[in-house]
Amino acid sequence: MPKKGRRVKRSEGQKEEEVPVKQMKMENGSSAPLCFDSPQGFFQSLISPVGLDQFFQHYWEQKPLVLQRSDPALASYYRSLFQLSDVQQLCGRGLRYATDLNVCRCVNGKKKVLNKAGAAQFSQLKKDMEERKATVQLHQPQRFKDELWRVQERLECFFGSLVGSNVYITPRGSQGLPPHYDDVEVLILQLEGQKHWRLYQPTVPLAREYSLEPEDRIGPPTHDFILQAGDLLYFPRGTIHQADTPSDVERSTHLTLSTYQNMSWGDFMLDVIPGCVFDCMRRERGMRSGLPRNLLTSPSGAPDVNERLCALLRRLADDVERENHELRSTAMKRDFICNRLPPYLLDPAGAEPAGNPPTLEDTVYMRFKEHLLLTVEPSQENTDEATELVVFVLHSLKNKRETHMMGASDDDDDDDDDDGEDEEVVSQGLRFPLTHVSALKQLLSSECVPAAQLQLLQDEDKLGLMLGLWSEGLLCVCQTSQ
């Protein structure tokens, strides 16, 4: 067990050196509250004193960052995010094993799950921690704690990616999980007590899956340190890690924030290339020419298929490279917007339509810009007419915080009261003709827009666009001073 130091050990082969850990300095001895004014300001305050440029140039997807801070105010704030007493309170709300929490312990390099059946009782959880040295892992605590909702909502806005979390409560002299790596970028916030961490060189850099790694395969740690309340750790996906609570500490509570799952260039290509092919097929006769006969049933395929496919791919790349060719991401955008947290609004009425409906004489602005996006994609209607492109305005105002990152809900299919009357509402958003895309981008890029200046030819289209957005809670009339 390492000593309680303030230094990080890095080893490369036979060479080992000690590097001082960055200390977080507070001005005038004051606390360092996180800044929630903007997503960028929030993340900057979270990783302070490291700057955003420095973080993304030297650490993001490259190497771990350890921020050990000796600041009582920051430690107090971290502690308020989640404590063991919160588990006791939540058990009264019906936490269930496996669904809401796991009880586990690392035994001989393997994860041993100690879950019971049904609802969790705090007395049993405490007994498992004290007598069996078990770790309590709580899934997605932002569903229950308002401040964690606030934190993760800001992070999802900053990254443009889903952000999940787990809380780990591990008793003294114990370890919950064996060495492993994850398929997500990880931020660790130490909330209570201390945790001893060891990080190892990735065997699969920027991994796309979770995997256990035997200790006899991973070599010596590249980082070996202890986190205390108020400290922060970041490491890229694929980083092998393990952590235990020192024997002289009552327990450790830490929060794991994870993001950037399936957010690689490869994932983006899988998303946008079908749209590029669709567009190219409409223009290029060669893309519409038929395949050789029996290509699909041939065990080996025609010898010139690869050559022909490469030629078509080069033509597709040239087409994408043309100026003003817009890539259309649809599946990734929909997945993000449909599954992310709603805006941080403790009063649900804050997402309802605000003020009076807009008129053509008003000046208007978009609300909740950080929680909506546009997609351009083929119409989903089944008709005998040629496929047309339409624009969707998707938003997360109606998302349920209670099911965030918990998978599909059984309730999703029950809301059929409208009997299909409002066909414009699709996947928590609105559908408009493609001719409306310029006006929508105009609204998103401007503070306020006079309704008469919306980039649409017909006044009825301008009014229809504004009323549709207003009814979803996305548009307001600018208040002018008298």
Side-chain angles (χ1 to χ4, degrees):
M1 196 68 61
K3 297 180 180 179
K4 301 174 188 176
R6 278 310 197 233
R7 303 175 74 83
V8 179
K9 293 184 179 180
R10 305 172 185 265
S11 58
E12 299 178 3
Q14 300 300 317
K15 182 180 179 180
E16 183 175 285
E17 58 178 343
E18 288 200 325
V19 180
V21 178
K22 290 181 178 292
Q23 298 290 323
M24 187 173 187
K25 303 295 184 182
M26 310 301 169
E27 296 181 3
N28 302 323
S30 61
S31 62
L34 300 180
C35 171
F36 289 90
D37 292 342
S38 69
Q40 180 168 316
F42 173 78
F43 191 72
Q44 174 62 86
S45 67
L46 186 67
I47 63 170
S48 178
V50 174
L52 287 176
D53 290 342
Q54 181 184 4
F55 177 78
F56 284 102
Q57 289 177 10
H58 300 289
Y59 297 99
W60 179 255
E61 293 191 331
Q62 299 175 62
K63 61 182 179 181
L65 169 66
V66 184
L67 293 176
Q68 291 174 303
R69 302 136 160 175
S70 300
D71 179 72
L74 188 60
S76 177
Y77 173 75
Y78 274 27
R79 193 175 300 113
S80 72
L81 295 177
F82 202 94
Q83 305 175 46
L84 179 61
S85 57
D86 289 311
V87 178
Q88 183 174 10
Q89 180 183 10
L90 292 175
C91 282
R93 296 170 57 176
L95 293 182
R96 300 187 67 82
Y97 286 102
T99 300
D100 297 307
L101 60 82
N102 279 329
V103 179
C104 58
R105 185 183 178 188
C106 177
V107 179
N108 297 323
K110 296 183 179 180
K111 177 181 176 181
K112 184 176 182 180
V113 179
L114 306 173
N115 288 350
K116 304 293 189 295
Q121 302 296 323
F122 181 73
S123 57
Q124 181 62 53
L125 295 177
K126 192 173 181 181
K127 181 178 180 180
D128 288 338
M129 292 180 64
E130 293 174 349
E131 298 181 3
R132 307 181 73 178
K133 298 297 182 180
T135 290
V136 174
Q137 175 192 20
L138 184 72
H139 306 315
Q140 311 304 337
Q142 71 277 7
R143 296 178 292 146
F144 312 110
K145 295 281 287 185
D146 289 344
E147 192 65 10
L148 289 178
W149 172 18
R150 189 184 185 198
V151 166
Q152 289 176 237
E153 185 268 349
R154 291 288 82 183
L155 287 176
E156 289 190 336
C157 288
F158 178 73
F159 285 110
S161 174
L162 296 175
V163 175
S165 69
N166 285 309
V167 163
Y168 295 86
I169 305 177
T170 304
R172 70 173 80 242
S174 180
Q175 180 169 331
L177 301 175
H180 67 280
Y181 61 78
D182 300 295
D183 59 343
V184 288
E185 301 295 305
V186 173
L187 289 163
I188 303 292
L189 278 60
Q190 186 67 29
L191 308 184
E192 289 184 305
Q194 300 178 9
K195 202 67 174 282
H196 167 219
W197 286 85
R198 285 168 287 171
L199 311 181
Y200 304 81
Q201 191 71 26
T203 54
V204 183
L206 303 181
R208 285 182 53 80
E209 65 285 317
Y210 167 93
S211 180
L212 298 175
E213 287 286 12
E215 285 206 61
D216 58 2
R217 179 183 170 187
I218 60 180
T222 58
H223 299 70
D224 190 321
F225 55 91
I226 286 180
L227 292 184
Q228 299 192 26
D231 292 347
L232 180 145
L233 164 66
Y234 158 78
F235 53 82
R237 55 193 186 276
T239 302
I240 303 168
H241 55 281
Q242 61 178 325
D244 60 87
T245 302
S247 57
D248 57 347
V249 176
E250 181 180 3
R251 65 175 176 271
S252 163
T253 303
H254 80 259
L255 172 72
T256 296
L257 298 166
S258 58
T259 190
Y260 253 59
Q261 185 178 51
N262 300 331
M263 284 288 288
S264 68
W265 278 107
D267 294 301
F268 186 67
M269 290 173 66
L270 290 172
D271 192 28
V272 301
I273 285 181
C276 296
V277 173
F278 178 83
D279 292 342
C280 192
M281 287 178 67
R282 302 177 78 172
R283 293 187 298 269
E284 298 284 345
R285 183 181 184 278
M287 293 284 283
R288 301 194 301 271
S289 62
L291 293 172
R293 287 181 298 104
N294 296 320
L295 174 63
L296 301 182
T297 58
S298 173
S300 58
D304 61 342
V305 168
N306 285 0
E307 181 180 346
R308 180 68 182 275
L309 182 60
C310 289
L312 292 174
L313 288 173
R314 281 189 288 270
R315 184 179 301 176
L316 180 64
D318 292 339
D319 189 65
V320 171
E321 199 171 20
R322 292 176 186 171
E323 189 175 358
N324 296 327
H325 187 100
E326 186 172 356
L327 298 175
R328 298 197 305 272
S329 172
T330 55
M332 291 180 71
K333 283 186 175 183
R334 282 183 175 272
D335 179 72
F336 174 51
I337 207 72
C338 294
N339 293 288
R340 67 179 297 188
L341 282 163
Y344 178 70
L345 297 170
L346 297 179
D347 182 1
E352 296 298 321
N356 295 322
T359 68
L360 294 173
E361 289 72 36
D362 290 322
T363 297
V364 296
Y365 70 94
M366 293 289 282
R367 305 168 70 211
F368 304 110
K369 290 183 181 180
E370 296 168 347
H371 282 266
L372 63 89
L373 50 80
L374 308 180
T375 66
V376 176
E377 51 192 290
S379 171
Q380 302 300 314
E381 291 184 350
N382 295 319
T383 69
D384 294 332
E385 300 176 2
T387 303
E388 64 173 342
L389 294 176
V390 294
V391 57
F392 288 95
V393 180
L394 306 177
H395 65 81
S396 58
L397 271 63
K398 299 177 183 178
N399 288 4
K400 297 179 180 179
R401 164 203 179 186
E402 294 77 12
T403 58
H404 182 244
M405 301 296 289
M406 294 297 290
S409 171
D410 294 336
D411 298 333
D412 293 344
D413 297 327
D414 295 339
D415 189 9
D416 54 2
D417 296 336
D418 57 8
D419 295 325
E421 293 180 2
D422 188 359
E423 296 182 358
E424 294 296 297
V425 179
V426 178
S427 189
Q428 299 183 7
L430 296 166
R431 187 190 70 190
F432 296 101
L434 190 59
T435 53
H436 288 46
V437 69
S438 295
L440 287 165
K441 290 182 178 180
Q442 179 187 9
L443 287 167
L444 286 174
S445 62
S446 305
E447 291 295 326
C448 286
V449 178
Q453 296 180 16
L454 284 172
Q455 295 175 8
L456 286 166
L457 295 178
Q458 304 296 326
D459 285 348
E460 61 180 347
D461 289 338
K462 297 175 183 178
L463 187 59
L465 173 64
M466 292 191 300
L467 290 178
L469 295 172
W470 177 83
S471 67
E472 286 285 288
L474 301 175
L475 194 79
C476 270
V477 175
C478 294
Q479 299 298 318
T480 58
S481 58
Q482 299 297 326

